[in-house]
Every structure is written in C-alpha cells, then in structure tokens.
Amino acid sequence: MTTNRRSFIKAAGSLTVMFSLEYTGLLASALTMNNLELPEVLRRNPSLSAWLQVLTNGSVRVFTGKVELGQGLCGAIAQVTAEELDLKADKVEVVIADTRRTPNEGFTGGSFSTENSVLSIRYAAAAARRELLDLAAAVLMAPAEELQMADGKVSFKSGGRSLSFFELLEGKKLKSEIRLPLQLKPKEQYRISGKSVHREDFKQMVVGAEMYIQDLRFPGMVHARTISPPSYDARLISLDEAGLNKVAPVLTVIKDGSFIAVICEDEYQTVKAQQHLSAQAKWSVSQKTTSAKSMPELLKSLTVITSKVKTASIVFPEEAKTIKAAYYKPYVMHGAIAPSCAVARYKDGLLEIWTHSQGAYPLRDTISSLVKIPTPQIHVTCIRGSGCYGHNGSDDAAAEAALIAVAFPGRHIRLQWSREQEHSWEPYGTAMYMELEAILAMDGRIAHFRNSVWSDAHYIRGNPGYLNLEGLRANPVVQKANPAGSGGYRNADLYYAVSNQTVTANFFNGPLRTSNLRSLGSYANLFAVESFMDELAAQAGIDPFDFRIMHLEDKRAIEVLERLKRTVITLPKEKNAAIGIAFSRYKNSAAYIAVAAQVKVHPSTFKITPVKLWAVVDVGEVISLDSVINQIEGGMIQATSWTLFEEVRFEQKTVNSRNWASYPIIRFNDIPEVEVEVISRPNEKLQGVGEIAMCVTPGAIANAINRACGKRIRNLPVGEQLKL
C-alpha cells in the first residue's frame, strides 16, 4: 500500500462521514456534508417517483430528461442506479426524454450528461434506498442497520426472511422526496460503478435492429417530404402541380407561403412526388455579388459585437518584439449518417411528435408557438438518431412534421429529409478566425499573451426564427441577429500560468446558418492555442512537452502530459513521420486531456496519413471505463476528419456541399489506430467526456505535420495545403 498523509486523511475522513450518516443515523440532523449539493434539476423535481419506478419483475425503471446520443448515458445511469440499490445493471431500464414521462432536464449537450444527469440519478437511487430500507424496517420490525439489499430484495444481514422492492411498496409508487441529508454508498464498496459493463445497444447496432427514429413505423402511417428552396433567401414564385398525379398518387400537397410538403401512402411515391415538384417550382433568387475577400477577411468585415473576455493586468507592450500567428477553421457540418427524420400525429386536439432532438421540453415549447397549440396538448418523445453531437436538422424535421400533421390530421406522418436537404439545410458549426500574439521572457516563459477571436453563434435554439420553416411561411418570423455567447471564446484564454492575458471576442452574423456542434468554439480555439504553443516552444528552443509543463501549476494537468510523454518519448523515429502533441483542460474548468498524433507525410504526393493517436485523460470519477474510452476514441477520429477533410463550400447564400462527394469525411482506410489511457480518480468530481477529445486533436495533428515536413498548418482543413 502506497499513499501519503493528505490522501489518507482525505479518504478516511470521507469514509467516516458516510458511515455515520447511512449506517448508524447518528448526528444526521446535526451534520451536513459540505461537498454534497443536490443538482438544480432535483431541486425543481424533488419527487422520487418522477425519477424511479419499481416494476413487478424486480427491475427498476429510471426516467431521465436527457437523450442517449451514443455517449453511453443509459449505461452510466443503469450502473449508478444498480450500485446504489445493489442490483445487477441489466435490472435497470432507462427511459430517455419524454414530456409525458420524464423530468424536464432541458437539452443534452456540453458534456453535462454525466456531470449533471447521472449524478442526479445517483442521488435519486440513494433516496430510494433510504425509503425502501425504512419500509422494510417497519415491516420486519428491525433497525435498518440490521438489513441489507441484494438483487431487488431487502433481508436481514443474518439471513432469514426477505421482501422484494415491489412487495415493500405494495405496488405503489415511491413517495418520498429527494432531500438532504442524503448518503451515497461509500465508493470503497462499489461493485459496478467504475467498471465496464455489457451494453445491449451495441449488439442492436451491429445486427441492424430497429432502434433509431428512422426505423419507427406505425399502422396506417403515411409519408411526407418537403421541397426546399435552392438557397437561404430564395422564395417561391410559382408551383406547377399539373401532372403530379401521373408521377405518384398524392394524398395532398401542403403550401404555406414558400413552405411546400407532399404526402403519399408510400415513401417511394413521396420521393417521386418531391422530385417532380422540385423541378416544377420557380424561386426568386437574390442577385449574386462576387467578392475578392478571403474567408478570414470576410469574417472580420462582418463583426457586429466586440467584447473583452479577459484583460491583462499589465498592458501589452506594443513596441516589444512579438511572435504572431493567425489560424482559420471553416464551416463544418454535423454530417449525420442518416438524414433527419420525425413522426407526428394530430388527433382529437393532441399533437404527438417522435424526434431525435436533444431536448423534448424545449422543442415542445418551440412547436407550441409555431402551431399555436398549448404545450399540455403536445407530447414529444425522443428516440435515438443516427448520431450527430449537436444541433443538426432534427428540430427542423420535427417542426415540419408537426406543421404537416396539423394540416393533415388523424394519421401518423413520417417526414424524412433527403441527403441533399440534410447537407444543405442543417445548422453548421461556424467558421472561426483567431489572431494570437505573445512575448517571450528571457527564460523562455510567456510574459504576455493576447488572442482575438472572430466567431458566429454556437447556439441558436430558442432564438426567434431559428427554424428554417419559420422564414418560409406566409407570415414569416424574421430571425433575430445571432446571439453572442461564451461558446465562441471557449478555451481561447490559456489554462497555462500566464498572468498577462488579453482575450477579445468578435461576434459576427455570417452567411450560413450556424448552431452548436460538438465542443463549440473549443475546437478552433485550441487548434490555434496548441499550435501556437508549439511555435512558441520552437522559438524558445524548448521541448514541446517541457514548454507546456513549465507553464502549468495544476498537478492533474501536469500528470496527463507526463504520462503521455512517457508513452511516446521512446517510440522509434520513422522516415517522413513525426509525432505532435497538444493539451487542454476543457472549458478551463472540466476534464483534462493530453493527445499525441503520429502522422506520415508522403514526399511524392504530400498525402497525409494519420498513423496513430494517443490520449491520456483525467475525467475525475469514472462511471463506465468503456464508455469513457469509446467517447475519446470517437472524438479523436471525428476531429481527425474535421482537421484533414471537412469544409462546407458555398457561394453567397447557396451551399454547394450537398453530398458526400462534395463534403468528404474520413473513410475507414484513413482511420488511425487509437490508444487511450484513463486516470481514475474516484474521489474527484464527475466530469463529462463527450467533447474533450475534439479540441486537442487538431493541434496535435498540425504539430505532427510541422515536425514531419516543416510545413506549418494554420488553416483548416489540411487538404491540399502541403502541395502549395
């Protein structure tokens, strides 16, 4: 056993408090746990029955207002519930966001699902444990301290009579409230939490089971498609419907201003009708103007709001010799593999919607305003989509399906976007431009740093007019200027110990529709920051690892870098290949990650091959080890695709990247090997992991390219730049 005095006292003290509260009840009214505070969503929804239900078969049903996006949320919830109630994980059923059944937890995103929702469920399960033990103590006429839980039953520790959870409740709901003081199971007794458990959903994915919104079918369901304008500002002049029924038997065509939808019994018939009407529609098109400006120049010319994010205590000495660099990230799309889809039915005054939106309740509010139906008469059920991590076309498809269902009541309406619609009408991740400048002291340390960031909005949900169809209707809702937000400058300031920092955020309203995409502004900002850190290290003549470590005071940050260094420092050098590194603490307040990327630059073709990626991560307490590793691996691969290949191409307000040929993404033969090391800190705060790998991967790749061939990449995607 190896430990230190501080760690021993910390762990022992925590154990003492836990034992006192749960197992003896002593001092429960006098003591409070300073490190325990109920999440805000539990304070709004304190009723235990809103979160947990005991089923007749001995299982427990859990209700979460969050959505499973592939991040392993349902598995993590099952694990913490099973842990607190001494169940097997497969005895926990998880119901995701549904306005009829689950609490309102807003949107899923920002790596908050584990940090907030899983923690809320843990507390709810602990409250259920308390209620069940109290009920058993009354029935068995014994102190709760003499009872134990196992496999959905409560029994004497010494053996003998046992009662199932269902018997204790006599078929009724859990009735207590989730309140403090509340004792969680001591982590030293964990059996499931922190381990990797079997995920049944993986099997369903592999065998092609019907589990996604695109698979959803109802008896008597009909199919709808919409006809999209050629560009953002095009409006319908005329629509020739003559000959339509010769193409396909159409149930109805719905027109509301420039919003057009067609409904048929069969999906293929609907596609043919859509294609016919698209060819017959005439649209107004705005006068196109040419511009010789580069994208960074264009973005800078669009600035509408400028604010100081961080101001240095000492004014930046303008006369000093500085190191400067500018970086650019283009518009990128979510690129969901299956286009957006929704099902809706309006019958007897009730509007039902099935969607892969990231928020059931917020979407219900938006649709209520759109169709003028009160929210109690709208039910929204979230179903898994094909994956996107952010705000793609799901809300638009749900709103369109709702509008169509109200116009064609009585039957389920399935609305499916085409690939072209998904590519050209989803909200993109905004283009960004960053100008960095620094002064190095004589010892190589950063004495002054400043960063100017240009960004459009990273979040438009709820902004009036944010849905495509709102601007197309006969009485259009004009979208307000995009809201400025902290996502634009997330991670733009250094986590490194540099006291004199100035960060300026410049927000513009750009030519394309944008909203949140995985990691928001952190991807671009950390691409710039971590590329710049390598440039500064080279200028100072210091090893990139050492340069970063010398600017860090946080021991957890230093450890992820030191572990990564030990992993890659002894690897043999390969011809035309090199390794680059990058580091981040996500949002400068959440999980830690250090990444190394090995790339090979082919000298004759200048093709870049990503060979291998390594990551060392510290996410505090780990609930499911496999899920953490899966998220890091997936994030690094997606970020590699963004870095090397992805860019939305457009002219004025017309998107040209309308398929996978014009918007290439990484393919299987380009995917690098990935190795992830997870530092487990069970006594530290839970931290989300879904977005942290996106941010550091581009800097590591760019730094590797520079070391391999001497070419500094400052504009993304890398593409053909090495040939120039």
Side-chain angles (χ1 to χ4, degrees), residues 211-270:
M211 60 184 296
Y212 296 109
I213 182 70
Q214 289 82 4
D215 301 318
L216 192 61
R217 297 292 187 274
F218 291 94
M221 185 176 72
V222 295
H223 296 265
R225 293 277 174 139
T226 56
I227 288 77
S228 298
S231 62
Y232 285 163
D233 53 355
R235 294 297 178 265
L236 184 66
I237 297 174
S238 64
L239 179 66
D240 185 359
E241 298 180 47
L244 177 59
N245 281 311
K246 293 181 180 179
V247 175
V250 173
L251 294 176
T252 189
V253 175
I254 297 168
K255 290 184 290 185
D256 184 348
S258 296
F259 176 74
I260 311 167
V262 60
I263 303 175
C264 298
E265 293 280 356
D266 178 81
E267 184 176 14
Y268 179 59
Q269 295 170 347
T270 313

